[in-house]
Amino acid sequence: MALNNTFDARLQQETAVGAGVQILLLALLGSAIGMGPAGWLTGLAFAFATWAVLSRALHRSRLSSFGPANRVTLGRATLVGGVTALVADSFESSPPVTLLVGLTAVALILDGVDGKVARRTGTSSALGARFDMEVDAFLILVLSVYVSMQFGPWVLLIGGMRYGFVAAARVAPWLNAPLPPSFARKTVAALQGICLLLAGAELLPRAANLTVVLLALGSLVWSFGRDVLWLWRNSRTAAVEVPAEPRVLELAAR
C-alpha cells in the first residue's frame, strides 16, 4: 500500500509540473503580446482542467510510472493550452498569427512522436492512447473555432464531430464497439490539423483556404460515415449471432 502511494505521489507531481509549465507558457505569452483577460482566463482554465482530469485518470489507472511517451503528450498539451489562450485572446485583440501557427505546428509534429516513443520504450497504455486522442481532439476543436471566424460557424463541425460522436454513443451503445485499424482513418485525422493550420495561417487566397477547409470537412464526414456504417452493420450481425458487450471506442491509437 505504501509503495502504491509513493507511485501515486510521483504521478501527481508529474501532472503538477505540467500545470506549472502551462502557467509559465501563459506568462511568457502574456509578456510577449500583452494577452488580455480572455486569453489568461481560458489558458488558466485549460491548465486546471488538464491537471484535474489527468490526475484523476492516473489515480484510477494505477500506473507505476508516468512514462516518456506521456511526458511528450503532456508537453504537447501545454502547447495546445497556449494555442487555446491565443485563440480566446483573438476575440478581443489580434495576437501574432506567426506565434499561433508556430505553437500549433510544433504540437502537430509532436503528435507523431509520442506514439513512437511509447512503442520503442514499451510503455504503451490505454491511458496514454486516450490522453493522446483527447489532446488531438481538443486542438482540432480550438483550431476550428479560430478558422470559423473567417468562414462562419459551419467550420465548427470539424472540431465538434468527434464530441458529437461520443455523445451519440451514450444513446446508441453499439457505437462503442471497437473499430478495425484503418490507415485511411489515421490519415484523415492528421489531415484535419494540417488543413486548419494552413487556413488559419492565411498564406493562401481566401478561395484556396475555403477549399482546404471544405476538403478537411468532407474527408472527416466520409471517415465518420464509413465507420458508423461499419459499426451499424457489425452490431446487426452480432445481434443475430452472439450478443456482445459494448467496448470503449478508440478512434486514435498509438
Side-chain angles (χ1 to χ4, degrees), residues 112-123:
V113 174
D114 48 10
K116 292 180 180 179
V117 171
R119 289 188 292 271
R120 290 182 179 179
T121 58
T123 55

Side-chain angles (χ1 to χ4, degrees), residues 9-43:
R10 291 177 179 175
L11 294 175
Q12 300 308 321
Q13 288 175 0
E14 297 260 13
T15 61
V17 169
V21 174
Q22 179 72 82
I23 294 173
L24 177 60
L25 176 60
L26 293 175
L28 292 173
L29 293 175
S31 63
I33 66 172
M35 193 162 58
W40 270 105
L41 290 174
T42 304

Side-chain angles (χ1 to χ4, degrees), residues 27-205:
L28 292 173
L29 293 175
S31 63
I33 66 172
M35 193 162 58
W40 270 105
L41 290 174
T42 304
L44 290 173
F46 179 89
F48 176 78
T50 302
W51 168 79
V53 173
L54 186 57
S55 294
R56 179 179 174 81
L58 285 169
H59 178 71
R60 296 177 64 180
S61 69
R62 299 186 179 277
L63 290 178
S64 59
S65 65
F66 196 65
N70 285 333
R71 293 189 184 98
V72 175
T73 307
L74 184 59
R76 194 155 56 84
T78 300
L79 296 175
V80 172
V83 174
T84 302
L86 290 175
V87 170
D89 191 57
S90 67
F91 285 92
E92 294 183 338
S93 60
S94 299
V97 176
T98 52
L99 183 58
L100 189 147
V101 169
L103 290 178
T104 303
V106 175
L108 290 175
I109 292 171
L110 288 178
D111 185 29
V113 174
D114 48 10
K116 292 180 180 179
V117 171
R119 289 188 292 271
R120 290 182 179 179
T121 58
T123 55
S124 298
S125 66
L127 173 63
R130 183 62 181 270
F131 186 24
D132 179 49
M133 179 177 63
E134 295 299 340
V135 172
D136 290 343
F138 194 79
L139 177 59
I140 298 304
L141 177 62
V142 171
L143 290 176
S144 68
V145 170
Y146 184 70
V147 176
S148 71
M149 289 187 279
Q150 297 181 49
F151 299 111
W154 61 268
V155 182
L156 296 176
L157 290 172
I158 297 176
M161 200 171 300
R162 185 257 172 182
Y163 295 99
F165 183 92
V166 172
R170 294 182 178 273
V171 180
W174 54 269
L175 290 171
N176 284 318
L179 285 165
S182 171
F183 178 75
R185 187 187 309 119
K186 293 181 178 181
T187 301
V188 169
L191 185 66
Q192 304 308 304
I194 296 172
C195 289
L196 290 173
L197 176 61
L198 184 59
E202 299 184 67
L203 297 175
L204 302 175

